[in-house]
Amino acid sequence: MKRIKIDKNKCMACYNCILACMMEHNEKGKDIYSLDLEDKSNECRNHIEVNHSKENIPIFCRHCDEPECVNTCMSGAMKKNPHTGYVEYDEEKCASCFMCVMSCKYGVLKIDEETKSKIVKCDMCENRETPRCVENCPTRAIYFEEV
Amino acid sequence: MNYVIIGASASGMSFAKELRNLDKNCNITLISRDENVYSRCMLHHIISGHRTLKDINFVEDDFFNKYNITWLKGQTVNDLDVNKKILYTDKRSVKYDKLLIGSGAHAFIPPIKNLRESKSIYALRNIEDALSIKDALETKEKIAILGAGLVGVDVLVSLLEKNKKVSIIDMADRVLPLQLDKRSAKVYERKFIEKGASIYTSAKVEEVILDETNDPKAIKLQGGQIIECDMVIVATGVKPNIGFIREGSMEINRGIVTNDKCETSVENIYAIGDVRGVSPIWPLAMKEGKIAARNMVGGDERITDSFALRNSMNFLGVPTVSIGQVNPPDETYEVLTEEGSEYYKKIVYKDGVIYGVILQGEIDYCGAYIELIRNKIDVSHIKYDPFNIGYGDFFEISENGEYKFKAVV
């Protein structure tokens, strides 16, 4: 499978990846002109933490080999696709118990702001060859590679 | 090789899938009393009518075909002969080479006067329970729930949605005593009361008062208080399903005793999930399923995670996460809290180690606490706000691009 690899030392926290993710998941259009940063239905799936040493830490879903979010999901909403290796989320199945939010020890997952009943989760940009965040990263702090 | 599995819930299904992935050619037979696969944690959604039986199936629709598993459904295992390696169900006998016991647990009905004798007493463990509660609700109006743990409160919320008059009773001084402290429990208690619930905490049930047809009329508490009801739902814990195991044939201590490879005291028999009577939570049952399968085909993998003090909940729109020891056992622990109108956060801390966390209202990105608490990772090098510790403080990348926790030196 392919994974978004991370070189934290190259991350400038420019938020191009964040904007890219929001654009890609915007139902009103995928270009920058259609993007409304205050639209809560259009949250970014990944985030950048600043840690105690003031380093920028890109927190992007790993689509883990043994994903704890899948393991912990009692509704079957979180599934690891055996063909792509990606962890897929089905919001119809989801019972909003939030065990996955608690169980991802890398703190990748959050509850959506708008309905407070869904999980905001990276889908690896289903219809693109390269996730849009990777395309938009100007420093190659994130890059896409077979693992 | 003939593998036989008892149980079609989290542990058994997780095991079956992993086993088939590891061994394409073995024979796998799964025996279950359940005639459907469903998530026991979601049965309250059946009562409320939010979901159907099909909606709470947690595996693929064609699971048994897809993984080539023979499913003997609707059969109860009554007897196990470990010497002859034969199981006896209520319908037939089944031979095995290797056996996986994931038979789960059943609701415990406490020895309260008139409780076991009474009609209209329900527990919530199986789909049949959920459906019969749902049926009963067509005529019953005043429901008493015994036990305010996660199951009791799940039921409470679904009954409040149906506009029933519901009373919930617990011996502890708050709802969800294992997961919450008084402050965070209060948030829910207020919301439940607003929706019409009556909450009786620090309350001990003395007896169920029956009418002449043995239907419940009321619950009598110690001290004499009377709570009217026409239906009782019992949510006071579970006991492992081990009735089919012959006395002395296998080591039992409350549940089936296993080692960290999921092996029982009998060769070629493994046990996982609630039937072990320890750490009865979904994620551990799922994990044990995988580990047992790997060991049963010759691997050597250990259970490294038995940390069961972790739960998330989401009642009436308020999410809460509870990890570890959330109520300090003595005064040597430091308790840090932070609160606003919509949130409450609490950390139980001692000598640089976090022992417990409650996060209520805001739980985004909180998972790192699990690892820090489970492994007692020293966080004293992080000088600033312990409420803002995140995975970024322990960031390290594996060869294959996965994350891991950086060792703190």
Side-chain angles (χ1 to χ4, degrees), chain B residues 110-328:
Chain B
I112 290 169
K113 189 179 170 193
N114 289 341
L115 183 60
R116 292 176 185 175
E117 293 75 15
S118 167
K119 291 192 283 181
S120 300
I121 297 290
Y122 300 83
L124 185 61
R125 186 69 192 171
N126 305 312
I127 185 66
E128 294 77 14
D129 298 329
L131 293 172
S132 50
I133 290 173
K134 199 175 175 207
D135 277 353
L137 289 174
E138 293 191 0
T139 55
K140 309 289 184 185
E141 287 303 326
K142 290 176 286 188
I143 299 111
I145 301 170
L146 307 188
L150 284 166
V151 175
V153 171
D154 272 336
V155 173
L156 170 72
V157 172
S158 47
L159 297 183
L160 290 175
E161 275 181 42
K162 300 201 123 198
N163 293 319
K164 299 292 175 182
K165 189 170 166 14
V166 199
S167 305
I168 191 162
I169 305 160
D170 202 288
M171 286 196 286
D173 64 357
R174 59 187 183 278
V175 299
L176 301 158
L178 296 179
Q179 290 80 23
L180 302 181
D181 63 356
K182 276 196 118 165
R183 165 70 172 75
S184 50
K186 199 87 208 156
V187 169
Y188 286 127
E189 287 169 6
R190 275 202 202 108
K191 284 198 170 271
F192 299 152
I193 291 167
E194 250 170 54
K195 296 264 172 197
S198 304
I199 299 175
Y200 299 86
T201 46
S202 305
K204 235 179 150 193
V205 175
E206 190 166 284
E207 67 169 294
V208 182
I209 299 172
L210 305 177
D211 67 12
E212 51 290 342
T213 64
N214 273 358
D215 258 324
K217 252 181 13 188
I219 300 284
K220 186 179 172 195
L221 301 182
Q222 269 178 18
Q225 198 171 7
I226 300 288
I227 303 161
E228 276 184 46
C229 64
D230 52 15
M231 175 176 178
V232 178
I233 299 176
V234 184
T236 49
V238 296
K239 285 200 156 175
N241 289 327
I242 50 174
F244 59 92
I245 293 168
R246 292 182 190 174
E247 201 157 341
S249 68
M250 192 181 293
E251 197 184 336
I252 305 283
N253 177 12
R254 193 175 136 81
I256 297 176
V257 176
T258 64
N259 61 16
D260 58 1
K261 290 180 75 178
C262 305
E263 293 169 320
T264 68
S265 62
V266 182
E267 202 184 353
N268 292 322
I269 302 183
Y270 290 60
I272 56 175
D274 286 6
V275 76
R276 293 170 62 225
V278 290
S279 50
I281 61 168
W282 182 279
L284 293 178
M286 295 293 284
K287 217 176 257 183
E288 287 164 18
K290 288 185 180 170
I291 291 172
R294 291 167 193 168
N295 288 335
M296 244 158 140
V297 299
D300 182 14
E301 199 168 327
R302 311 288 162 140
I303 302 174
T304 53
D305 180 12
S306 55
F307 182 64
L309 288 174
R310 45 170 153 154
N311 261 298
S312 66
M313 61 200 85
N314 179 25
F315 300 118
L316 302 176
V318 179
T320 304
V321 156
S322 162
I323 307 167
Q325 190 79 48
V326 298
N327 291 294

Side-chain angles (χ1 to χ4, degrees), chain A residues 91-109:
Chain A
E91 66 177 55
E92 294 296 312
K93 283 224 105 179
C94 176
S96 315
C97 73
F98 305 143
M99 280 291 275
C100 57
V101 175
M102 181 189 70
S103 300
C104 172
K105 61 186 178 185
Y106 310 118
V108 172
L109 300 178

Side-chain angles (χ1 to χ4, degrees), chain A residues 28-102:
Chain A
K28 296 171 199 88
K30 299 197 175 197
D31 58 288
I32 190 80
Y33 302 106
S34 307
L35 181 63
D36 172 2
L37 289 173
E38 291 182 344
D39 179 359
K40 285 186 175 175
S41 69
N42 184 29
E43 283 180 85
C44 179
R45 275 112 167 107
N46 303 308
H47 65 287
I48 298 173
E49 257 182 57
V50 179
N51 73 6
H52 65 284
S53 312
K54 305 279 183 260
E55 293 171 310
N56 302 319
I57 308 289
I59 305 284
F60 283 61
C61 178
R62 302 291 79 207
H63 299 268
C64 297
D65 293 352
E66 301 258 346
E68 195 61 29
C69 58
V70 173
N71 208 32
T72 204
C73 179
M74 58 185 82
S75 67
M78 284 286 179
K79 284 228 165 70
K80 186 159 173 86
N81 182 320
H83 307 293
T84 61
Y86 298 157
V87 174
E88 297 166 355
Y89 168 65
D90 178 351
E91 66 177 55
E92 294 296 312
K93 283 224 105 179
C94 176
S96 315
C97 73
F98 305 143
M99 280 291 275
C100 57
V101 175
M102 181 189 70

